[in-house]
Amino acid sequence: MNNVRMSVRQKSIVLIGFMGVGKTTIGELVAKKLYRSFIDVDQEIEKDFGMTIPEIFEQHGEAFFRDYEKKKTCALAEQKLKIVSIGGGAFLQPEIRESCLRNCIVFYLDVSWDEWKKRLNILIDSRPVLQSRNIEEIEELFYKRQDAYSINHSKLTVNQRSAEEVADFIVDSLKHTWDMYEPMND
Ligand code: S3P
């Protein structure tokens, strides 16, 4: 899998990780700190259909959603200079994974199962994937997805860190990477 020949400073940043880890909140902060535009792929899909994600699942089914998610995410991953948050299931699709890894810098936001469990109540109403499963099945899904998430350019564990702290970490590590690969000439 070849990286696209593009300046590393121009590559978009993609945030991946399980539902509710904070991809949107952290992505918005990173975008602000780097003066870049933020794109939440799920919000873009909702705009396209004029429906919420649960409504799309209900009316069209998960397979339809996944197909649309694939086209949308791959197209958005080809844009430069963006901060992009993708759906928690998106990176499971090989085409999405390959497109993000080839075109962008991919940050995996990890969280422990114990920490994530505390967030379940606030997530369940807006996440159809959780509604169809009991807690043991959600735990199984949580661990199963880690194999796909483990293919990334950089990983950091969120747990009890604030969104601000995580965003600062991402910005610092990006600046370090940019300087290392493409030092600015004075
Ligand atoms: C999903 C995660 C959601 C959304 C959809 C399916 C998943 O996005 O794409 O409900 O399969 O994990 P978030 O990760 O932003 O919650």
Side-chain angles (χ1 to χ4, degrees):
M1 189 192 316
N2 289 328
N3 272 344
V4 164
R5 284 195 168 276
M6 188 199 298
S7 154
V8 74
R9 290 178 184 271
Q10 294 200 324
K11 285 183 178 240
S12 288
I13 311 307
V14 169
L15 302 183
I16 65 165
F18 205 60
M19 289 161 267
V21 71
K23 299 182 293 280
T24 304
T25 313
I26 293 163
E28 280 170 345
L29 285 170
V30 173
K32 226 178 255 173
K33 288 171 194 285
L34 291 175
Y35 304 97
R36 289 191 180 189
S37 320
F38 173 70
I39 300 173
D40 180 291
V41 177
D42 281 336
Q43 285 171 9
E44 295 302 312
I45 295 173
E46 289 181 329
K47 273 190 234 159
D48 289 350
F49 285 87
M51 285 187 228
T52 64
I53 300 290
E55 284 167 351
I56 299 171
F57 266 69
E58 201 182 314
Q59 290 198 24
H60 299 283
E62 180 168 354
F64 173 89
F65 170 79
R66 295 299 175 196
D67 193 49
Y68 195 81
E69 175 183 55
K70 180 169 70 193
K71 290 180 200 136
K72 193 80 190 173
T73 312
C74 290
L76 291 171
E78 285 180 8
Q79 296 191 6
K80 292 178 191 169
L81 294 164
K82 303 283 189 293
I83 309 297
V84 186
S85 158
I86 70 172
F91 215 63
L92 280 288
Q93 302 203 54
E95 294 91 340
I96 294 182
R97 212 161 49 227
E98 280 156 25
S99 174
C100 291
L101 290 166
R102 193 172 58 240
N103 295 295
C104 312
I105 301 179
V106 177
F107 274 85
Y108 167 32
L109 304 182
D110 191 19
V111 61
S112 71
W113 169 247
D114 283 340
E115 187 56 38
W116 186 84
K117 258 193 311 190
K118 299 177 196 162
R119 308 177 184 192
L120 177 58
N121 282 347
I122 52 164
L123 296 173
I124 192 117
D125 287 344
S126 55
R127 305 308 198 281
V129 169
L130 300 177
Q131 288 158 14
S132 56
R133 292 178 163 83
N134 64 32
I135 189 72
E136 288 79 21
E137 289 166 335
I138 296 173
E139 184 176 7
E140 197 186 324
L141 184 74
F142 179 91
Y143 285 111
K144 217 165 111 192
R145 284 189 170 180
Q146 292 190 344
D147 284 348
Y149 297 153
S150 71
I151 313 164
N152 57 63
H153 294 122
S154 188
K155 168 189 161 175
L156 63 138
T157 303
V158 172
N159 286 348
Q160 285 165 17
R161 293 196 173 97
S162 69
E164 194 72 38
E165 242 179 301
V166 177
D168 282 338
F169 178 91
I170 293 174
V171 170
D172 288 348
S173 90
L174 278 170
K175 287 185 173 164
H176 182 74
T177 305
W178 293 338
D179 287 344
M180 201 162 68
Y181 286 98
E182 288 170 13
M184 293 279 218
N185 295 324
D186 290 328

